[in-house]
Structure formats: structure tokens, C-alpha cells
């Protein structure tokens, strides 16, 4: 079993990375493989061309295509972001917009969680924003003992956020437990949920 940890901060080794490291260390103790995937500092946003709905892939040939190849064989996802003005970074928002629009088939039914890092405020808003993606893609949302956030201006500050780091470890415990439960279910013949064909109701006709 493997979990992809997405670093959506423009700083490759900043506070968000430190939070994901804490999760990664705990996953290793639980015998779960993981990889921290940094999306970089700039990501092309979705232009709403809908070509991916016909071709099955995004028209832009960039970091997203590399991620989608990894996502095919990944069992769970954790998306991490710094908090800018009460929301996730522009790069991560662009990345997740395109990922969920063009690659939802690689994500559906797989557990997911959001992690946010801020100096002081705005964490709850960013956390809620990121969870909306999972809820629209039939992804079980993995909880922790508190909202998944760490605080600090630099990684050494995060080291002092003992509750935040413990929250990351609890998240890793819960992700590991859920992945193992899903694996046991599959081995005992429990199928994935059977869903109705999606209905889209437009308010303006």
C-alpha cells in the first residue's frame, strides 16, 4: 500500500514539507509506503476547455501528467498547502482543479486528507476548501484528533507545535488503519460501492 503526500507549497522544504515528513515517518512505522511529491512553485490553471472529458487527459503537458501516472497505483492521498489569505496556494488550487477534473477516475474511492500550514490564521478556511474536492469525488476523508494544521513561519517553528505534529501522526495512524480495513474488505469479497449514474441539474435552463 502506498500514500502520495502532495506538497503544494512553493517552498520545497518549508513548513508544509515538515508536516508531511511527520506523517511520512509515522506511515513508515505502520508499514505503509509513501512519497512526498512537490508540485513546484507555478502550475498552469484549468482553462475549462473540457478536452480532458473527451481525451481522458489534460491538454497541458506538465507536472500533472507525472502525478497522474503515480496516482494510478496509489492507495491514498494527502494534500498539503501553505495558507495564503485564508485559502490554499494558487499553485495547489490550480493543480487540484485540473487533477480532479481530468483524473478523478484515479482518485475515486481512495482515502484522502488535507493538511494546512500557516503562521497564525486562515487554516480552517483553507482546510475546508481542500476537503471539498474529496467530497465531490467519492473519496473517504481521513480524520485526525483535530483539524490537520501546523503553525509556524519556518520549519523550526513547526517543531515547537507539539499538538500540530501529534495531529499529523494521528492522521497517519488513521490513514494506515483505513487502508488496511479496505484491503481486508477486498480480500473478503466486499465490492466497492455501486453508484447510480450521475445526475447534473442546471439551475439556468
Amino acid at each position: 500500500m502506498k500514500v502520495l503526500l502532495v506538497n503544494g507549497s512553493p517552498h520545497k522544504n518549508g513548513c508544509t514539507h515538515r508536516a508531511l515528513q511527520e506523517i511520512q515517518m509515522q506511515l513508515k512505522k505502520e508499514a505503509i509506503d509513501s512519497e512526498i511529491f512537490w508540485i513546484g512553485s507555478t502550475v498552469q490553471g484549468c482553462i475549462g476547455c473540457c478536452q480532458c472529458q473527451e481525451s481522458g487527459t489534460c491538454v497541458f503537458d506538465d507536472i500533472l501528467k507525472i502525478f497522474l501516472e503515480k496516482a494510478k497505483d496509489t492507495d491514498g492521498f494527502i494534500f498539503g498547502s501553505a495558507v495564503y489569505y485564508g485559502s490554499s496556494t494558487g499553485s495547489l488550487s490550480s493543480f487540484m482543479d485540473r487533477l480532479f477534473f481530468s483524473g478523478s477516475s484515479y482518485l475515486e474511492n481512495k482515502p484522502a486528507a488535507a493538511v494546512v500550514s500557516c503562521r497564525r490564521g486562515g487554516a480552517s478556511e483553507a482546510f475546508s476548501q481542500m476537503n471539498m474536492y474529496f467530497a465531490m469525488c467519492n473519496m473517504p476523508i481521513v480524520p485526525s484528533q483535530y483539524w490537520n494544521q501546523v503553525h509556524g513561519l519556518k520549519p523550526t517553528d513547526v517543531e515547537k507545535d507539539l499538538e500540530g505534529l501529534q495531529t499529523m501522526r494521528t492522521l497517519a495512524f488513521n490513514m494506515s488503519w483505513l487502508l488496511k480495513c479496505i484491503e481486508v474488505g477486498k480480500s473478503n469479497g466486499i465490492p466497492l460501492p455501486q453508484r447510480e449514474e450521475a445526475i447534473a441539474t442546471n439551475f439556468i435552463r
Side-chain angles (χ1 to χ4, degrees):
M1 288 175 280
K2 182 177 179 179
V3 176
L4 267 178
L5 308 169
V6 182
N7 181 359
S9 171
H11 303 289
K12 187 174 183 179
N13 297 303
C15 296
T16 303
H17 180 261
R18 178 62 190 90
L20 296 177
Q21 273 187 318
E22 194 72 14
I23 296 168
Q24 186 175 47
M25 288 187 288
Q26 194 60 54
L27 287 173
K28 184 176 182 180
K29 292 179 182 179
E30 297 297 312
I32 302 292
D33 292 333
S34 65
E35 175 187 348
I36 297 178
F37 185 93
W38 184 52
I39 66 171
S41 57
T42 56
V43 176
Q44 166 69 47
C46 180
I47 60 172
C49 67
C50 296
Q51 293 298 307
C52 63
Q53 303 301 294
E54 297 179 14
S55 66
T57 185
C58 184
V59 295
F60 298 110
D61 187 9
D62 61 5
I63 193 74
L64 180 65
K65 288 195 175 181
I66 298 173
F67 183 84
L68 284 172
E69 283 302 310
K70 294 177 178 290
K72 293 176 183 178
D73 300 315
T74 296
D75 302 290
F77 301 88
I78 296 176
F79 294 82
S81 180
V83 176
Y84 294 158
Y85 293 95
S87 65
S88 61
T89 64
S91 292
L92 185 64
S93 291
S94 294
F95 183 83
M96 293 182 77
D97 283 349
R98 289 173 52 213
L99 169 63
F100 279 79
F101 199 41
S102 66
S104 60
S105 62
Y106 303 133
L107 309 174
E108 192 172 26
N109 299 313
K110 297 178 179 181
V115 167
V116 291
S117 167
C118 68
R119 184 191 68 84
R120 188 171 178 86
S124 298
E125 291 83 356
F127 181 67
S128 296
Q129 173 208 9
M130 293 166 69
N131 275 289
M132 288 185 181
Y133 290 93
F134 315 140
M136 282 190 68
C137 197
N138 291 301
M139 302 177 79
I141 299 174
V142 184
S144 188
Q145 67 191 52
Y146 196 76
W147 301 306
N148 305 327
Q149 55 188 264
V150 295
H151 291 264
L153 189 60
K154 51 187 182 295
T156 51
D157 295 334
V158 176
E159 296 291 345
K160 301 173 186 176
D161 183 5
L162 300 184
E163 182 177 354
L165 291 176
Q166 186 181 63
T167 300
M168 298 302 111
R169 294 192 297 274
T170 301
L171 174 59
F173 276 131
N174 291 341
M175 173 64 83
S176 170
W177 175 80
L178 186 53
L179 288 175
K180 291 172 183 177
C181 286
I182 292 171
E183 189 66 23
V184 169
K186 288 179 180 178
S187 65
N188 282 276
I190 299 175
L192 292 172
Q194 300 299 306
R195 301 189 174 92
E196 298 178 6
E197 185 177 346
I199 299 172
T201 302
N202 295 330
F203 294 111
I204 306 299
R205 296 180 182 275

